Amino acid sequence: METITKIIDFSSEISILEISYLLASVLFILGLKKLSHPATARSGNLWAAAGMGAAILFTILFHKTEVTLPDGTTEIKGIGNVLWIVIALAIGSFIGWYASIKVKMTAMPQMVSIFNGMGGACAALISLMEFPKMQNVLANEGAIHMLNGEGIAILLGLMIGGVSFAGSMIAFGKLDGRIGDIKHPILRIVNLSFLVLLLVALVVILFMKPVADNNWPIYLFALAALIYGVTFVMPIGGADMPVVISLLNSFTGVAAAMGGFLYGNQAMLTGGILVGSSGTILTILMCKAMNRSLLNVIIGAFGVAGAGGTEAEDKTVKEISLSDAAVLLSYSQKVFIVPGYGLAVAQAQHLCHELDNLLASKGVEVKYAIHPVAGRMPGHMNVLLAEADVPYEKLVEMEDANNEMTNTDVVIVIGANDVVNPAAEDDPSSPIYGMPIIKALDAKNIIVMKRSMAAGYAAIPNNLFYHPKNRMLFGDAKATLQKLVAEIKSL
């Protein structure tokens, strides 16, 4: 009863702080809900940001700590170094704002990877800072081990945060073309060994007798986490990268939640749980969409097997002229557009929508088939098309789109390779074998827009391009769509 009275006592600074954390948590949840739809995503971001701002502001103003002085008395102290905190916030906010207005849509996955990595690094640094304090206190008290809630939170935060940081930096390098894939079956054994080593080391450290100022175990533990973060992302590439980005995002959330648990900060705990749980759910859904197991993701076994797909040598492709494509599309009843990363690179989403509107004005039903891993990160194509004001109702998920393919007159593949590659279904030697695809072959006609016959991100040939139903429309997506729109208007 006394506790309840204290919580609702608005004159108490502790109560105000707790209420502000509750308010921040509610704003996080509402923001996350709004992020689930393009029409409300922008306001969702603002709501969540307001919650984070309130949590930070009220923490600076009202957080108090009871400190025991050398004479045995206690003193209540607020947060120190406020000026440095404000300066750090200003610098971080400016960098985030500048990056958000400058980064291209095609570079969004790289920016997300960096932000993921920074979150993981923060959680790991918190653990590295708090472990020596905990160990010294326990050593002075004569404790026989470090097995307690605080110790578990510190070590889990360090392990998950370290893996998230190192993995995200490698993901950034790979997405940005700075780091290549290293694929070898032995990496499965290496990664599995590192994973077991980390878990065993975590248990060993918890049961070690605390020795003041002996921080080598935690430093070695941090080093092992960083190495594992590198080795588990190195073999991953191609269409599997979005799944890994989603997993690293969930890691960052869980690591942040460990920090919230460590400090008893409800807002940090809630935010971390929301990010971690939503990222985990998304990862599981994407694993199902890719027909992969979660263990394969964790040990970095994606894309390791396989020799690279069927050779495409000595095969010919059929081209289609702009005028023929314009006639075929104009006299169709139903058209599906399959967008990919090439569309984003060409910045052709607005022209794609213009083509969509033009065909719709001629009575053609136009929809967009969205593969779960289209682009370089989860939801990449949805955001790209939302930027061009494509109605969300026109975006059709892969399974539903596949059900409609047999009744589709034309499928236009724009800048997408791996998500329509039949090798995923009929070539067991292919690295993407088992991954569900958009079944463009089921449609009556296929038009693929590409700059050249170069392989996609998975670096494997695509036999769809050589199928009798398919015709290639070579050129830059933006320029080709411009000409195609003009051709249709002239009919």
Side-chain angles (χ1 to χ4, degrees):
M1 187 64 188
E2 182 183 352
T3 304
I4 296 174
T5 304
K6 188 176 178 181
I7 289 174
I8 62 175
D9 180 6
F10 281 80
S11 64
S12 165
E13 291 173 342
I14 296 294
S15 296
I16 294 174
L17 185 59
E18 289 172 348
I19 290 173
S20 74
Y21 286 159
L22 180 62
L23 176 65
S25 299
V26 171
L27 288 172
F28 291 161
I29 295 168
L30 290 175
L32 187 62
K33 185 176 186 306
K34 285 178 170 288
L35 283 170
S36 63
H37 195 282
T40 56
R42 187 184 293 273
S43 62
N45 255 326
L46 293 175
W47 283 48
M52 182 60 71
I56 294 171
L57 177 64
F58 280 84
T59 300
I60 293 173
L61 292 176
F62 298 111
H63 183 79
K64 304 294 180 188
T65 306
E66 188 176 279
V67 179
T68 302
L69 300 176
D71 61 1
T73 59
T74 59
E75 182 181 349
I76 303 297
K77 284 190 172 182
I79 284 186
N81 300 316
V82 172
L83 179 61
W84 288 109
I85 293 173
V86 172
I87 291 173
L89 282 172
I91 294 173
S93 300
F94 175 77
I95 293 173
W97 168 78
Y98 189 75
S100 67
I101 61 171
K102 286 293 182 184
V103 70
K104 295 179 180 176
M105 183 56 68
T106 50
M108 282 297 290
Q110 289 93 310
M111 191 171 81
V112 169
S113 290
I114 289 180
F115 285 176
N116 267 343
M118 293 302 103
C122 287
L125 288 174
I126 287 172
S127 297
L128 284 176
M129 187 176 65
E130 294 299 328
F131 184 83
K133 294 179 185 175
M134 180 196 73
Q135 182 174 237
N136 291 346
V137 170
L138 292 175
N140 291 333
E141 291 175 350
I144 58 172
H145 57 67
M146 290 180 277
L147 180 59
N148 55 54
E150 188 178 350
I152 293 172
I154 287 174
L155 292 177
L156 283 177
L158 178 57
M159 182 177 77
I160 300 171
V163 171
S164 177
F165 167 68
S168 296
M169 292 302 101
I170 297 299
F172 163 76
K174 292 169 77 105
L175 290 167
D176 210 43
R178 300 168 189 265
I179 301 175
D181 298 341
I182 296 179
K183 297 182 178 182
H184 195 282
I186 199 171
L187 281 174
R188 288 184 182 181
I189 301 172
V190 171
N191 288 330
L192 194 56
S193 301
F194 259 113
L195 185 59
V196 172
L197 173 69
L198 280 169
L199 294 175
V200 170
L202 186 149
V203 175
V204 169
I205 293 173
L206 286 175
F207 281 94
M208 282 176 58
K209 181 176 174 58
V211 178
D213 299 325
N214 177 27
N215 297 319
W216 281 109
I218 196 71
Y219 293 151
L220 292 174
F221 186 68
L223 180 62
L226 292 174
I227 294 174
Y228 173 65
V230 172
T231 58
F232 113 85
V233 177
M234 279 308 298
I236 298 170
D240 297 319
M241 283 303 289
V243 186
V244 177
I245 293 173
S246 174
L247 181 66
L248 291 170
N249 183 44
S250 69
F251 279 0
T252 300
V254 174
M258 290 298 113
F261 178 77
L262 187 63
Y263 290 138
N265 186 315
Q266 293 90 337
M268 194 173 176
L269 184 61
T270 306
I273 289 173
L274 287 174
V275 174
S277 57
S278 58
T280 302
I281 292 170
L282 181 60
T283 303
I284 292 171
L285 290 175
M286 294 184 75
C287 281
K288 287 182 179 177
M290 296 282 289
N291 195 25
R292 313 286 193 181
S293 74
L294 189 58
L295 178 62
N296 270 353
V297 184
I298 293 173
I299 64 173
F302 273 11
V304 174
T310 305
E311 291 297 331
E313 295 178 359
D314 301 327
K315 295 181 180 177
T316 57
V317 298
K318 287 191 295 184
E319 292 190 48
I320 187 170
S321 66
L322 280 168
S323 56
D324 286 347
V327 170
L328 179 62
L329 291 169
S330 297
Y331 291 97
S332 296
Q333 290 184 326
K334 187 172 186 177
V335 170
F336 256 111
I337 297 173
V338 182
Y341 185 69
L343 178 72
V345 171
Q347 288 288 297
Q349 61 270 31
H350 295 280
L351 278 165
C352 189
H353 189 205
E354 187 179 349
L355 173 68
D356 162 13
N357 287 334
L358 188 58
L359 292 175
S361 68
K362 292 178 176 290
V364 182
E365 183 185 7
V366 182
K367 294 182 179 178
Y368 296 79
I370 309 297
H371 192 278
V373 297
R376 292 291 186 270
M377 69 177 184
H380 195 184
M381 286 301 109
N382 300 57
V383 175
L384 186 82
L385 295 173
E387 188 187 50
D389 295 326
V390 174
Y392 196 63
E393 294 70 25
K394 286 196 169 188
L395 309 189
V396 183
E397 294 185 2
M398 177 183 65
E399 289 183 1
D400 294 331
N402 284 341
N403 290 334
E404 298 183 38
M405 278 300 160
T406 51
N407 298 322
T408 300
D409 296 302
V410 186
V411 168
I412 312 175
V413 182
I414 308 177
N417 278 291
D418 305 324
V419 299
V420 293
N421 193 337
E425 294 186 321
D426 56 25
D427 183 3
S429 69
S430 172
I432 64 169
Y433 182 68
M435 180 184 85
I437 57 168
I438 292 174
K439 299 182 179 180
L441 273 177
D442 289 349
K444 296 170 187 170
N445 297 280
I446 308 161
I447 297 175
V448 173
M449 292 187 185
K450 270 181 70 70
R451 286 175 177 272
S452 67
M453 290 300 292
Y457 195 59
I460 54 176
N462 191 337
N463 283 332
L464 174 72
F465 302 158
Y466 307 96
H467 195 276
K469 281 187 183 179
N470 181 64
R471 278 168 284 181
M472 306 296 296
L473 191 53
F474 289 111
D476 174 77
K478 192 171 187 176
T480 305
L481 281 170
Q482 274 177 333
K483 294 173 185 173
L484 186 59
V485 166
E487 196 71 34
I488 293 174
K489 285 180 178 175
S490 67
L491 289 177

